[in-house]
Amino acid sequence: MRKIVRLFPVLSFALCFSALSATSVSPNISGTWTGSAAGRGYKVEVDQNGNQTNMVETVSATLSVNAVQSGTDLTLDVQVTTANDGTNLVTFTGKAGDFALWATAVQTNQDSTEQIFLSGIYASRGDKITGTIVIYKDQHAAQLSFKLTKSVAKLSRAAGAARAAQSIPTATSRQDGPFNVAGKVSGSSYTLATNAKAAKYSGTMTGAFADTSATLTVTAADGTLTYDVTQTGTDGAIVLFGSGGLGGSESFVAFLKTSNNAGVGTAWVFSQTRLVQVKLTAKKQ
């Protein structure tokens, strides 16, 4: 009997320690990161006679990132190095927490302005980030997967050509409406100010596309939410971007590869308080 009694304090401590260890705290990701990104870009090229050709190109880059996180506020100074363009510095702003992040940026080149969206997921140790970068402008859509590893080296902001912050432009819409679509969404949601980790998210989606815009309606556990979006891209891939959702204050970005009147890809809903990342499948009705 005494042996059993003596086991209770040890057992109680073990159970308490196990409960505390099961709840991981979302780490602060401030610091320097290095890695790479690769994917494909889809664009329309117009020759001197006005003839249009859909083009697909391979896109790759090395990345050096200086991250500053304060609460859920996030700033990323990203040095992007490519074989053709050398090194450029792009500054992203966004949110981080609950083991996930999102950020946006605008990059101005000589002849165009690109809009960039970035989303990432990281492990409890906070030493690796994996995610997706979506780049879009007039009749141009690209999606890259990236991997980052935390580094001990310090990144200098002076390196590369800094990009001035500008207001988000409106990309050219594709002129192929009107039509309706229906589909499904399935993935995860993250509440940025918590340590809850990914919660399952699924639902149905309908959309009404006009010549210059579209209205998407997503029905899921958080209700029936509407997003007003614009589309740009080519016949092979499109990006949808806009706003709406909870309180009308959420942003929406989706990258879809299209063929045979159907689209398959990834969609993101992001705001000051949450990130939703889902696989989206849709088909014309």
Side-chain angles (χ1 to χ4, degrees), residues 144-165:
L144 294 81
S145 298
F146 74 87
K147 295 181 180 180
L148 296 173
T149 302
K150 202 159 193 179
S151 171
V152 295
K154 187 175 182 181
L155 173 67
S156 171
R157 291 197 64 175
R163 301 297 188 180

Side-chain angles (χ1 to χ4, degrees), residues 95 100-104 117-119 185 188-192 201 205 216-218 220 222 225-229 240-255 266-280:
K95 293 287 182 178
L101 66 91
W102 66 262
T104 60
F117 170 78
L118 179 153
S119 172
V185 297
S188 301
S189 66
Y190 304 84
T191 304
L192 299 176
Y201 189 96
M205 186 274 295
L216 304 180
T217 302
V218 177
D222 50 0
L225 305 176
T226 300
Y227 302 90
D228 294 320
V229 301
L240 304 175
F241 60 100
S243 61
L246 292 173
S249 61
E250 297 185 310
S251 297
F252 181 97
V253 170
F255 181 95
T266 305
W268 297 265
V269 173
F270 53 102
S271 68
Q272 299 295 305
T273 58
R274 74 169 181 162
L275 169 68
V276 178
Q277 178 175 310
V278 294
K279 179 181 179 181
L280 189 156

